[in-house]
Amino acid sequence: MIPIANGTFEITPIHEKYAWRICDFVTVNTSRLKTYFPQTLTENLTPELSKLFIDQKIKAFNNKTEFVFVIKNTIDRSVAGLLFVKNLDFDKKEAEIAYCIGYQHEGIGITTMAVKEITAWAFKEHGLRTLRIIVHKSNPASIRIAEKCGYMWKETLPKEHQPPAMQPMDMELYVKAYEG
């Protein structure tokens, strides 16, 4: 468990007890997730699907192929958001961080604090030396999060993301190198 600075939220590795809460999170935030997290959305539309998703992500966590964390409200225990450390390449010592936050928790700094904590965790616990965040230019809030966490714009990735029933999208690559 990683407490976030404001004390009302914490980051915790995904656990089977979150199946209902993750299902609630994605169904309430469907419109926010459908373009950039379509697979996460479809894999969590029912509690049964969420259970399968969580089982898969726990195995990935234990195998160190992907790390999924829940941003949890410590007061009502609800899921406020999700963080992914994915596309891990331990030979190159790099990975990608992806994040999503519920509409009711946006704009209050939770995601920035969580990304800072997970960035430090990935560098310290796994010896990673380069982390990436990939965002679309139409998401200024996500760009601000990357920049506030010390990620620097590197380049535009042509046709990097393929949302369902849409044309491929160019995405912006932000990178942070280990400064230890």
Side-chain angles (χ1 to χ4, degrees):
M1 211 169 355
I2 304 168
I4 298 177
N6 74 1
T8 305
F9 295 89
E10 64 188 16
I11 307 164
T12 185
I14 199 162
H15 188 278
E16 57 257 354
K17 67 184 174 185
Y18 295 117
W20 278 92
R21 293 178 230 174
I22 290 174
C23 178
D24 287 344
F25 169 77
V26 300
T27 55
V28 167
N29 290 287
T30 296
S31 64
R32 297 173 69 85
L33 301 174
K34 68 182 176 185
T35 301
Y36 300 109
F37 289 87
Q39 187 172 349
T40 301
L41 176 62
T42 58
E43 291 178 348
N44 288 283
L45 289 174
T46 68
E48 295 79 20
L49 288 172
S50 285
K51 174 75 171 98
L52 295 171
F53 171 83
I54 289 169
D55 289 345
Q56 174 190 9
K57 297 306 180 185
I58 289 170
K59 286 178 188 163
F61 202 106
N62 292 335
N63 293 331
K64 298 182 180 180
T65 57
E66 181 180 38
F67 302 105
V68 179
F69 294 87
V70 171
I71 303 171
K72 178 177 67 174
N73 182 316
T74 58
I75 296 168
D76 67 10
R77 314 307 273 173
S78 64
V79 171
L82 298 170
L83 285 164
F84 299 78
V85 180
K86 62 184 196 168
N87 299 325
L88 288 137
D89 185 331
F90 287 107
D91 293 332
K92 292 181 179 178
K93 299 183 185 239
E94 61 185 28
E96 178 184 340
I97 293 182
Y99 45 85
C100 53
I101 193 76
Y103 74 89
Q104 60 275 64
H105 303 293
E106 70 180 344
I108 57 175
I110 297 164
T111 311
T112 300
M113 288 184 273
V115 170
K116 283 181 181 177
E117 293 295 335
I118 290 302
T119 297
W121 175 86
F123 285 145
K124 181 181 177 191
E125 298 297 323
H126 295 286
L128 298 173
R129 295 298 176 248
T130 305
L131 295 172
R132 299 177 306 279
I133 293 175
I134 298 173
V135 301
H136 192 263
K137 63 184 176 185
S138 68
N139 189 345
S142 191
I143 291 169
R144 276 193 309 278
I145 290 165
E147 292 173 343
K148 285 180 183 178
C149 293
Y151 288 74
M152 303 297 294
W153 181 85
K154 183 173 182 181
E155 64 183 307
T156 299
L157 304 172
K159 299 182 180 180
E160 173 70 15
H161 180 62
Q162 177 63 62
M166 293 176 67
Q167 293 294 316
M169 301 172 79
D170 295 349
M171 301 294 282
E172 304 304 317
L173 173 63
Y174 287 79
V175 177
K176 182 176 177 83
Y178 179 69
E179 300 169 351

